């Protein structure tokens, strides 16, 4: 389950930002997860409490925002919504589309004290 290592990285990021920005506690955290990222929000939610135990985010509430997957067609150049990684362009049917959004995972919001 790579979600554990992702959450460990989130914890490290939070600790580094706490030192830089002088906060002691994370009350809420929102993670933006790309629709094509292969990150399971259920697994993140399940592991969150265990990974954050004894950290500044131990009692934090976890929220998710799903980022729609979009790609730029290499045929017509238009942005197209993607349901799967290798979807064809919805506009012209071209088989090659470069992913623009939908693969990322990032911290987008924090409520701290």
């Amino acid at each position: 389950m790579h979600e554990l290592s992702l959450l460990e990285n989130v914890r490290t990021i939070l600790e580094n930002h706490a030192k830089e920005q002088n906060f002691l506690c994370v009350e809420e955290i929102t993670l933006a997860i790309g629709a094509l990222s292969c990150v399971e929000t259920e697994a993140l939610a399940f592991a969150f409490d265990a990974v954050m135990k004894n950290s500044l985010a131990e009692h934090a509430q976890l929220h998710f925002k799903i980022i729609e997957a979009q790609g730029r067609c290499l045929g017509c150049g238009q942005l197209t919504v993607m349901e799967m990684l290798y979807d064809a362009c919805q506009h012209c049917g071209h088989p090659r589309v470069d992913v623009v959004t939908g693969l990322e995972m990032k911290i987008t919001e924090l409520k701290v004290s």
Side-chain angles (χ1 to χ4, degrees):
M1 178 183 342
H2 70 290
E3 282 78 6
L4 285 174
S5 62
L6 292 173
L7 286 171
E8 289 169 351
N9 290 335
V10 167
R11 184 184 60 213
T12 300
I13 290 168
L14 294 174
E15 290 167 351
N16 291 339
H17 281 283
K19 289 176 189 172
E20 293 172 6
Q21 298 175 17
N22 297 319
F23 59 86
L24 301 173
C25 178
V26 176
E27 297 172 15
E28 294 182 36
I29 181 169
T30 301
L31 298 177
I33 310 290
L36 301 178
S37 68
C38 297
V39 174
E40 296 291 331
T41 56
E42 298 85 11
L44 285 175
F46 179 78
F48 184 78
D49 289 340
V51 173
M52 298 301 162
K53 188 173 176 80
N54 298 321
S55 78
L56 59 118
E58 181 171 19
H59 301 291
Q61 292 180 341
L62 178 62
H63 307 284
F64 299 108
K65 176 183 174 190
I66 304 303
I67 300 172
E68 180 181 67
Q70 291 188 335
R72 182 156 314 276
C73 176
L74 297 179
C76 69
Q78 292 192 52
L79 281 178
T80 183
V81 174
M82 301 175 72
E83 300 289 327
M84 297 174 59
L85 190 56
Y86 296 107
D87 278 352
C89 176
Q90 292 179 334
H91 304 287
C92 71
H94 194 277
R96 302 260 334 265
V97 176
D98 282 339
V99 178
V100 175
T101 63
L103 293 174
E104 62 271 39
M105 178 180 137
K106 56 188 172 183
I107 300 169
T108 57
E109 296 177 37
L110 287 178
K111 182 177 178 184
V112 300
S113 57

